Amino acid sequence: MSTTSLITGASSGFGQAIARQLAEAGHRLILLARREARLRQLAEQLPTDCHVLVMDIRDTAAIARLPESLPADFAAVDQLINNAGLALGLEPAHQARLEDWDTMLDTNCKALVHITRAFLPGMVARRRGHVVNMASIAGSYAYPGGNVYGASKAFVQQFSRNLRADLLGTPVRVTCIDPGLAETEFSLVRFHGNAEQADAVYTGTQPLTAEDVAAAVVWALQQPPHVNINQIELMPTGQAWGPLAVHRDSG
Ligand code: NDP
Ligand code: 8X3
């Protein structure tokens, strides 16, 4: 039986790399994102059947209709890869833009919850399914300017654990992936298209690649059915923790 995987955020970065690796492994793919040309170009390159879904994942009404509106060949989603997400801004909380916070919460938390709720009943009924949630090290470790982005990823981590608790007794698996510094379009998006600021994030160090993160996802998916990989945290070797910050008055 061929496996059907739905990948959100398949037009770039991790999602695109996950699509390439799952296509090589023979999965039939549903590719979801807003940028249609990129999705269609990717679908043409992949050696597998693909269904392109051009949509904004924040459209919760469309997400609710999704399981019933998929073509019959793609309707039984076995693997839901909740990868679409973003950081916007790095300003301290008292200077951050509220509209950026709303966008992160709507995308990273609310949309992820809605699409999961849409596909879980089918997985439980078919007794076959795996949800992979893309969180971040930002959900575990605070940093200046991480404010709502980090909090949204902590939500994804705990939602993943609570899903496991609810799905105990079913064969449906849940995995949370927490990557560290990885070079994709992530920083370009975070800095609202400022390429100079985005490039500086990766200058002089060797970040993770999208392929590194995709390999972790695919490994978790390929474990035997009785093995649930709860959480994977991966960082580039050139990234680690610093000491806690202490403010000292200069006077
Ligand atoms: P990219 O910016 O390269 O990719 C993000 C993807 O999300 C794009 O395909 C984008 O597609 C999609 N997306 C964003 N908003 C929406 C939306 N409203 N509707 C549909 N699709 C959307 O970044 P990454 O690949 O790095 O990020 C993937 C995930 O990994 C994110 O959740 C991110 O937070 C997380 N992450 C990233 C890290 C990094 O350092 N790069 C580290 C840890 C976690 P489109 O714009 O076409 O809609
Ligand atoms: C992306 C990693 O450290 O830039 O989630 O927040 S970080």
Side-chain angles (χ1 to χ4, degrees):
M1 194 196 302
S2 131
T3 303
T4 302
S5 308
L6 191 166
I7 305 165
T8 71
S11 61
S12 174
F14 300 165
Q16 198 173 84
I18 294 164
R20 290 190 195 287
Q21 293 186 21
L22 290 182
E24 286 300 329
H27 296 221
R28 157 198 313 259
L29 298 180
I30 303 170
L31 307 172
L32 185 157
R34 291 166 298 184
R35 286 172 288 181
E36 180 170 7
R38 284 190 180 215
L39 291 181
R40 298 220 178 273
Q41 191 182 21
L42 178 65
E44 275 168 27
Q45 293 167 358
L46 297 179
T48 190
D49 290 340
C50 292
H51 176 66
V52 165
L53 267 181
V54 182
M55 64 185 295
D56 188 321
I57 200 171
R58 292 170 295 174
D59 182 348
T60 51
I63 290 290
R65 290 192 300 270
L66 206 48
E68 287 70 41
S69 59
L70 289 168
D73 283 359
F74 292 90
V77 171
D78 302 304
Q79 300 177 338
L80 172 63
I81 318 297
N82 282 324
N83 164 75
L86 76 172
L88 288 171
L90 199 59
E91 295 83 10
H94 53 287
Q95 291 166 353
R97 303 182 204 179
L98 263 178
E99 61 266 33
D100 284 350
W101 283 8
D102 282 340
T103 304
M104 289 188 278
L105 292 170
D106 287 346
T107 312
N108 300 355
C109 302
K110 191 172 172 188
L112 182 144
V113 161
H114 276 248
I115 196 167
T116 304
R117 181 64 181 83
F119 283 100
L120 269 185
M123 291 181 177
V124 172
R126 290 189 297 276
R127 299 192 55 76
R128 189 174 149 91
H130 198 151
V131 178
V132 176
N133 292 329
M134 195 59 69
S136 167
I137 58 164
S140 306
Y141 315 110
Y143 62 83
N147 44 65
V148 165
Y149 176 68
S152 76
K153 293 304 187 176
F155 176 95
V156 174
Q157 293 171 344
Q158 190 66 2
F159 182 58
S160 304
R161 294 185 197 107
N162 281 335
L163 281 177
R164 284 277 293 128
D166 286 352
L167 292 164
L168 184 69
T170 81
V172 179
R173 297 184 285 175
V174 182
T175 299
C176 183
I177 310 281
D178 297 329
L181 186 75
E183 188 163 7
T184 61
E185 293 175 22
F186 175 84
S187 293
L188 196 61
V189 172
R190 170 168 247 173
F191 297 118
H192 297 280
N194 184 326
E196 205 177 324
Q197 258 185 305
D199 289 347
V201 172
Y202 310 110
T203 300
T205 191
Q206 185 174 1
L208 296 173
T209 65
E211 290 70 28
D212 297 327
V213 176
V217 171
V218 173
W219 177 79
L221 291 173
Q222 289 178 341
Q223 295 310 297
H226 69 286
V227 177
N228 191 101
I229 304 299
N230 294 337
Q231 195 161 6
I232 298 177
E233 180 181 290
L234 65 160
M235 288 181 189
T237 309
Q239 182 179 38
W241 307 269
L244 287 175
V246 177
H247 170 76
R248 299 179 200 281
D249 292 329
S250 50

